[in-house]
Amino acid sequence: MTEEKIMLKLKNINKSFQDLTVLKNLDLEINQGEICCLLGPSGSGKTTLFRIAAGLEKADSGEVIKKNDPRFAYVFQSPRLLPWKNAEENLTFVQKNYGLESEKSLRDLLFRLAKLENFKAAYPDELSGGMQQRLELIRAFAVKPDLVFLDEPFKSLDMKTRMNLRKLITVIQAETGITLFLITHDPEEALLLADRIYIMAAEKQGIIKEIKIEKARERRKISDPELYQHLENIMEIFSDLVSDLEDAGAEIKRLF
């Protein structure tokens, strides 16, 4: 990967919390215009890495290099909307930081894409959870970011809403070239969305595998041989817990 194409680079990142080492000598690179996924079980350090990459937390050592000081936005697992502002005011509030509050046409487009055009005057507590998350997503794109950090943005949503929001971000990304950095627990979601997947494991304090996917996003199906093979490989990596449970079968039977 040439330096000119790199949007975000992490070099030799180390992070511990008291006696617990979370990240050790971690390296990661993301190209401009990529959708990159961090995939791994809970406790593998994904959110810690994310917060370090976004500048929300400091590493104990190592470097975080962002190309040309990009404008970035962060979408949290749960919406962080301003409850005292209505839906449109939530967008204009963040746009003001970049002198974009006059771009009503951009806000109108985002509300239409998220199917929230009839709820601009609604306050967050008047919206369903899925609608709040849609608003959270379009608020991130309202600042015309170069890089968006998405920390499990679909985690608590139903399947239909997840599918619609995945489509929403991929359409915006395809037309704008915005770089997306996404955390997910879902291997299928990672394979359908990402150009590059980094798999993390707690016992290794970092990344254990990198997967690159060349197939065009709109033509991907999990049943395709290439993606299905990747899925099998990922499930094999995550099979340690299953093996431990199978080994404990006799003891479970005896104690229960």
Side-chain angles (χ1 to χ4, degrees), residues 102-195:
S102 64
E103 297 209 11
K104 184 178 183 301
S105 57
L106 173 59
R107 293 195 298 276
D108 288 345
L109 171 63
L110 290 170
F111 276 115
R112 189 171 78 249
L113 290 174
K115 299 189 183 303
L116 292 172
E117 61 265 52
N118 295 325
F119 297 91
K120 294 178 187 178
Y123 287 84
D125 65 357
E126 298 174 323
L127 302 174
S128 68
M131 294 167 76
Q132 289 182 30
Q133 197 66 3
R134 275 183 271 163
L135 181 59
E136 177 88 352
L137 276 171
I138 64 172
R139 186 174 65 167
F141 289 107
V143 301
K144 296 185 177 180
D146 303 300
L147 172 62
V148 181
F149 294 88
L150 298 151
D151 186 358
E152 295 190 72
F154 317 128
K155 182 178 180 180
S156 58
L157 302 176
D158 62 85
M159 183 182 297
K160 181 180 178 181
T161 305
R162 287 170 68 97
M163 291 173 61
N164 288 333
L165 289 184
R166 288 199 310 237
K167 182 66 173 177
L168 173 64
I169 67 170
T170 55
V171 167
I172 293 174
Q173 192 277 336
E175 295 299 329
T176 62
I178 294 171
T179 305
L180 302 181
F181 192 16
L182 170 75
I183 289 180
T184 181
H185 282 99
D186 185 342
E188 291 190 13
E189 184 169 87
L191 289 167
L192 291 172
L193 286 178
D195 304 298

Side-chain angles (χ1 to χ4, degrees), residues 8 10 13-18 20-23 45-66 72 74 76 80 149 151 183:
L8 177 68
L10 277 63
I13 297 295
N14 292 277
K15 182 67 178 180
S16 297
F17 295 98
Q18 297 181 345
L20 177 64
T21 299
V22 179
L23 303 174
K46 300 186 302 299
T47 295
T48 299
L49 187 156
F50 231 52
R51 290 178 60 82
I52 291 171
L56 302 178
E57 194 163 323
K58 288 187 176 180
D60 297 333
S61 61
E63 291 184 86
V64 178
I65 303 165
K66 298 186 180 81
F72 71 89
Y74 198 112
F76 295 87
R80 303 289 180 92
F149 294 88
D151 186 358
I183 289 180

